[in-house]
Amino acid sequence: MQGKIFALAAAAMFAAWHAAADEIRLEDTEFANIKTGWGEVRARKSIDGNALKVGGVEYPNGLGVHAMSSYRVPVGGNALSFSAKVGVDDEVGGKGSVVFRVLADGYVVAEVAAKGGDAAKEIKADLAGAKFATLEVTDGGDGNYYDHADWCDAVFVFKPGTKPRPLAELTRQLGILTPPEAKEPRINAPARYGARPGRPILFKLPVTGEEPIAVDIGRAALPRTLAFDPSTRILSGSLDKEGEYEFVFTAKNRHGTAKKRFTLVIGEKLCLTPPMGYNSWNAFAGGVSDEKMRLAADKMIELGLDKHGYAFCNIDDFWQRNPENGKSDPTLAGPERHEDGSIWVNSRFPDMKGLADYIHSKGLKAGLYSSPGPYTCGGCTGSWLHELQDAKSYAAWGYDYLKYDWCSYGAVATGDGRDRHTRPYFLMGRYLRMQPRDIVFSLCQYGNENVPVWGGEAGGSCWRTTGDIFDTWPSVLGGIRAQAAHWMYSRPGAWNDADMLVLGRTVWSNGRLTPNECYTHMSMWCMFASPLMIGCDLSLMDDFTLSLLTNDEVLAIDQDELGAAAALVLEDAARDTQIWARPLADGSMAFALLNADAEEQVVAIPFARLGMRGKWAVRDLWRQKDEGVFADAYAVSVPGHATHLVKLSPREGAALKPCLKDIRDNAWRVPFDADRAKAAGVAADGCGGCR
Ligand code: GLA
C-alpha cells in the first residue's frame, strides 16, 4: 500500500517531461507546492521572471527560486540521481549568497554554497532508494536579501522503465459538458445593476435562445430619463434619484417565454455582481492595438459572449507611450505627455474616444489600464503626478473601467506602513468618483497590505489578491489556494479578483492547461465571485473554450446577487482534495469538489460533518442536470485536476448548522471580526468549524 501511495504521489508530481529516456527536468515536475522566500516560481525563469543567468551564462532550462526555499518531490524509490548547475542569478548584480542542498529522505546528500557573481556550480546527488527528494535553498549566512537562486539544467534520472507516467495517462479528460444552447429564451445574469446618480447608464440585457426573441422591459411607464430599446436590448439614460428601480424583463419566442426580475440600483456602488468581459493582456500583452481591440469587440458579439453577460472590452498596458521600448519600436516612441500635462497615446491608438465609441456602439463598455507610478509594469507612461488629469482624460474619452497597477509606484511612494500602499489608490478612487461618468476602479497590487480590508473603501470595485496568473496548473492551483484567506471580504460592489482567465489561446501558448484543469479554473473563479475577464485571442476561439465561458448555470454562480464568495470548508491534504461552499441568494448552496490529485478519485460532501441536516437536491451545473435528492452525503468520482460543480437546494428537513450556517449567515464577513472568529475557533483563513 505504502509503495502504491509513493508511486501515485510520484506520478502525480510529474505532469509532463521532455522525451529523453528516463530523465525528468525539474521544471517539468509539478512544482505547485514549492516554497519560496519571495516571488513566484516559474518554469525556465528566474524569480524576477527573467531568463536564468548565472555567471554571465544563460541557461534555457531550470527553475529560479528565492531563499528560503524547499521543494519535496515524491520520487517513490525509483529515482537514481539528481543533478543541476546552481548559482545566484545575475539579475541581483553580484549580490546575495545561498546554500543549495539536496536531501534524500531527510538526509543531506549534496550541498553547494554559491554567491552572487560566481559561475554556476555542479551539484549531483545520489537518490537511490529514496522515497522523497528535497531541494532546499537557504541563505548563505547574511540574511536572504538578494538570494535569487537558480537550479539550472536540473534533471532527475529514474531507473529504466520506472519513469512516472504522464498526467494525461493517469486520468480521463473531460470533454465539452455544457449542453447546446436551448431554443427557449433565457435571460441571463445579472439580476442587479449599480449606477451612480446622474451618470450615463449602458446595460445590455443578456438573452439567449433562438431568434427572433421579443424582449420587453415590463414596465408601462419608464422614468422619463431612461430608455430601453427592445431591438438592441440596451437600457440607457440616467437617473438622478438614489433608490432601487425594479423591472421584470420578458423574453418571448416561438418556443416559450422567460421572465426575470431586474433591479437597477442607483447609489454609490457599481458592479453589484462581479464584472465580466475581455482584457487584452493575456491575449496580446505588449502587442495590443486599436485594431485588435475593435476586432475583440466584434468577436465578443459574433461569439455571442454579450448574451451570457460579458460586458467589458478592456485595453490593458501599452496604449500609452513607452520611452524604453520606443527606442526599438517607433509605434511606442515620442513625448509621454502634452505640454499641458495630459497623456499622449501611442500611435497604435490613433483615436481613444473613437475606440470607446465603437465599443459602446456594440452595447459593450470600454476599459483601460494605468499605474500610480511613473511607469506601468510594461514601462509605459503611468499616472504619477497626473492622476486627476488622467482621470479626466479617461472620462472625456468615454472609458468605463480602469485597472490601476502598482508597478513602479514603490520607487516614488512616501509615507509608512499601510498608508504608503493605500494612498495612491484612495487618490485615484477619489478622482474617478469626481468624473461625470461611472468608471469601475479595479485595483491591481497583487494583494499587498491586505487589500481586501481597504480596497472597497478606496473606491475599488475589485482588487487582485495574487501575483500574475499564467496558464499552468501550479499557477491556477496556487491562485485557488490563496483565496482561502479572503472569501469573507467579497461583497456586492467590492470583489476579490483572482486575476484574469487563462482559458484558450494566450500570448504564451496554445493553452497549457489540460481540459480538466480548465474546468477547475472556471468553476473556482465562479465560486470565488471573481471578475471574469477573458484572456485569450477571441479570433482563435475554439468550441471547448467557448463552452467553458458560456455555461449560464455556471456563470450564474459567479453572478449570484447575494455576492458571497466561496469558503474552503474541507481539505483532505493526504488525498489532495478540497471542498468549497458558497451560499446563493435563492437559499441553495453551491459546492465545488476539487480533486487536485493527478488520479481520478471519489470526492464527497459529508453532510453531517459540514453541519447539513435533512435532504438536499443536487444539480450538476456543468451538465445542467439534476442528480437526485441526497440525505447523508453526496459523492462523485472526479478526474485528476478536475472540479465538479454542484448546487444543493434544501428539501425535506434541510437545515444548516455551523459552520455552513455561519457562512450562509455571513457571520464572518465584513467587517471580519477576528476576535469573535478566534473565540469561536474559526480560522482566519476560512471555516475552522468544518475542518
Ligand atoms: C502586471 C499585471 C498584469 C498586466 C501587466 C501589464 O503584471 O499584474 O495583469 O496588467 O502588469 O504590464
Side-chain angles (χ1 to χ4, degrees):
M1 184 59 195
Q2 195 75 333
K4 176 159 168 16
I5 289 171
F6 283 128
L8 291 181
M13 294 298 289
F14 298 101
W17 50 84
H18 67 128
D22 278 340
E23 291 181 3
I24 297 175
R25 290 192 196 282
L26 176 62
E27 67 273 22
D28 290 334
T29 65
E30 221 188 287
F31 53 87
N33 296 325
I34 196 165
K35 291 198 178 69
T36 178
W38 179 84
E40 188 189 352
V41 181
R42 281 163 273 186
R44 293 173 287 280
K45 297 280 184 220
S46 71
I47 199 70
D48 266 354
N50 299 313
L52 298 163
K53 195 170 179 190
V54 180
V57 180
E58 243 184 60
Y59 294 87
N61 301 308
L63 280 186
V65 299
H66 196 289
M68 318 293 276
S69 168
S70 81
Y71 177 28
R72 188 165 184 258
V73 187
V75 289
N78 291 324
L80 294 172
S81 65
F82 170 82
S83 65
K85 297 200 180 68
V86 294
V88 177
D89 197 284
D90 288 359
E91 70 195 4
V92 288
K95 297 177 196 143
S97 66
V98 295
V99 179
F100 292 85
R101 276 188 205 94
V102 183
L103 292 83
D105 291 336
Y107 295 96
V108 177
V109 286
E111 182 173 294
V112 164
K115 48 184 205 334
D118 285 354
K121 297 177 183 169
E122 181 94 23
I123 190 166
K124 202 162 176 12
D126 184 350
L127 296 179
K131 301 279 193 283
F132 288 94
T134 306
L135 307 185
E136 222 178 64
V137 181
T138 55
D139 79 86
D142 54 356
N144 73 342
Y145 287 109
Y146 305 109
D147 285 351
H148 294 208
D150 293 347
W151 299 93
C152 306
D153 286 350
V155 167
F156 289 95
V157 179
F158 279 77
K159 285 183 210 158
T162 65
K163 185 169 77 172
R165 285 183 295 146
L167 185 64
E169 285 176 21
L170 291 173
T171 190
R172 75 191 152 101
Q173 292 293 328
L174 298 167
I176 292 181
L177 302 180
T178 303
E181 200 168 288
K183 291 197 164 105
E184 296 78 31
R186 187 189 153 112
I187 304 174
N188 294 311
R192 288 170 74 80
Y193 182 91
R196 294 192 178 126
R199 307 311 213 289
I201 293 165
L202 172 64
F203 172 71
K204 188 177 195 177
L205 188 72
V207 181
T208 46
E210 189 185 279
E211 298 287 353
I213 305 174
V215 179
D216 186 72
I217 195 162
R219 199 161 145 150
L222 274 188
R224 203 175 33 82
T225 52
L226 219 53
F228 179 69
D229 178 345
S231 63
T232 58
R233 294 162 197 169
I234 292 175
L235 182 65
S236 61
S238 70
L239 288 169
D240 285 336
K241 209 164 154 280
E242 292 205 356
E244 304 215 344
Y245 299 77
E246 298 241 336
F247 307 93
V248 179
F249 280 111
T250 310
K252 200 169 176 180
N253 68 7
R254 68 190 176 98
H255 301 286
T257 304
K259 280 193 187 302
K260 179 148 182 150
R261 188 180 46 78
F262 176 81
T263 311
L264 183 59
V265 185
I266 304 297
E268 258 318 293
K269 288 185 187 162
L270 310 176
C271 298
L272 297 181
T273 63
M276 291 171 65
Y278 162 86
N279 172 293
S280 61
W281 185 253
N282 292 345
F284 299 114
V288 69
S289 64
D290 174 284
E291 202 186 331
K292 285 185 178 143
M293 290 309 302
R294 284 175 197 249
L295 188 62
D298 293 348
K299 286 284 165 192
M300 284 180 74
I301 306 297
E302 207 178 298
L303 294 166
L305 293 168
D306 57 329
K307 297 182 174 176
H308 299 277
Y310 293 94
F312 289 94
C313 187
N314 294 352
I315 323 169
D316 205 272
D317 209 355
F318 280 85
W319 57 268
Q320 323 85 322
R321 291 185 169 172
N322 186 315
E324 198 47 45
N325 295 19
K327 290 179 190 156
S328 52
D329 179 348
T331 65
L332 301 172
E336 296 171 55
R337 292 197 172 263
H338 296 271
E339 260 177 25
D340 66 358
S342 60
I343 190 159
W344 265 104
V345 294
N346 67 47
S347 69
R348 301 176 194 165
F349 287 87
D351 180 4
M352 287 298 272
K353 177 161 178 349
L355 176 57
D357 289 346
Y358 184 78
I359 293 171
H360 291 155
S361 74
K362 312 251 159 193
L364 302 171
K365 300 200 196 202
L368 41 61
Y369 162 101
S370 188
S371 166
Y375 292 100
T376 65
C377 294
C380 299
T381 309
S383 296
W384 188 53
L385 301 181
H386 293 275
E387 294 83 358
L388 180 57
Q389 232 167 355
D390 283 359
K392 284 182 178 169
S393 298
Y394 308 152
W397 293 333
Y399 283 79
D400 311 290
Y401 191 107
L402 172 69
K403 173 174 165 186
Y404 206 44
D405 195 345
W406 175 266
C407 302
S408 66
Y409 186 79
V412 296
T414 53
D416 302 316
R418 181 165 286 179
D419 183 47
R420 186 181 157 81
H421 286 260
T422 60
R423 196 185 291 179
Y425 288 96
F426 275 87
L427 187 72
M428 188 50 110
R430 191 157 57 241
Y431 289 156
L432 292 178
R433 178 69 187 80
M434 281 160 53
Q435 302 313 309
R437 62 183 299 112
D438 287 339
I439 302 180
V440 171
F441 191 27
S442 154
L443 276 53
C444 177
Q445 43 80 285
Y446 334 115
N448 290 333
E449 286 301 318
N450 209 2
V451 62
V453 176
W454 54 268
E457 275 173 65
S461 290
C462 53
W463 47 79
R464 280 266 297 275
T465 48
T466 60
D468 285 9
I469 192 171
F470 296 94
D471 58 345
T472 63
W473 178 238
S475 175
V476 169
L477 190 61
I480 290 171
R481 199 60 190 71
Q483 304 311 314
H486 312 303
W487 61 275
M488 65 292 275
Y489 295 105
S490 254
R491 57 198 189 274
W495 308 102
N496 291 321
D497 177 356
D499 204 357
M500 301 170 293
L501 298 172
V502 285
L503 299 164
R505 188 175 174 122
T506 62
V507 68
W508 314 289
S509 78
N510 203 1
R512 283 175 290 186
L513 296 178
T514 64
N516 294 353
E517 292 163 359
C518 291
Y519 277 105
T520 292
H521 181 20
M522 190 66 189
S523 304
M524 294 312 297
W525 264 234
C526 291
M527 287 295 283
F528 297 145
S530 177
L532 297 177
M533 290 295 163
I534 299 173
C536 63
D537 185 341
L538 297 179
S539 26
L540 298 171
M541 180 65 77
D542 58 281
D543 290 349
F544 177 68
T545 305
L546 191 60
S547 78
L548 294 168
L549 296 171
T550 55
N551 187 312
D552 297 311
E553 293 201 19
V554 173
L555 293 173
I557 302 298
D558 182 73
Q559 295 290 302
D560 186 74
E561 63 191 275
L562 187 62
L568 176 58
V569 294
L570 258 189
E571 187 171 18
D572 185 335
R575 301 177 72 233
D576 222 352
T577 60
Q578 302 171 16
I579 296 183
W580 295 74
R582 170 173 182 179
L584 302 172
D586 67 359
S588 63
M589 300 285 295
F591 282 89
L593 293 83
L594 194 171
N595 176 16
D597 193 87
E599 296 222 12
E600 177 147 356
Q601 56 182 337
V602 171
V603 187
I605 306 174
F607 288 5
R609 181 148 175 224
L610 294 182
M612 297 168 72
R613 281 198 217 137
K615 294 186 178 167
W616 294 79
V618 177
R619 183 162 173 87
D620 176 335
L621 295 175
W622 279 108
R623 295 174 181 82
Q624 302 186 357
K625 217 173 104 229
D626 289 330
E627 300 217 347
V629 176
F630 295 78
D632 303 316
Y634 168 75
V636 63
S637 184
V638 185
H641 291 191
T643 292
H644 187 73
L645 198 61
V646 286
K647 176 167 161 169
L648 270 63
S649 305
R651 292 290 183 266
E652 212 185 316
L656 292 176
K657 292 196 298 178
C659 77
L660 281 190
K661 185 173 186 312
D662 292 344
I663 293 173
R664 170 94 244 161
D665 296 348
N666 298 343
W668 314 113
R669 289 177 63 205
V670 174
F672 180 65
D673 186 340
D675 293 338
R676 190 173 151 221
K678 201 168 159 204
V682 173
D685 71 339
C687 177
C690 308
R691 286 192 268 157

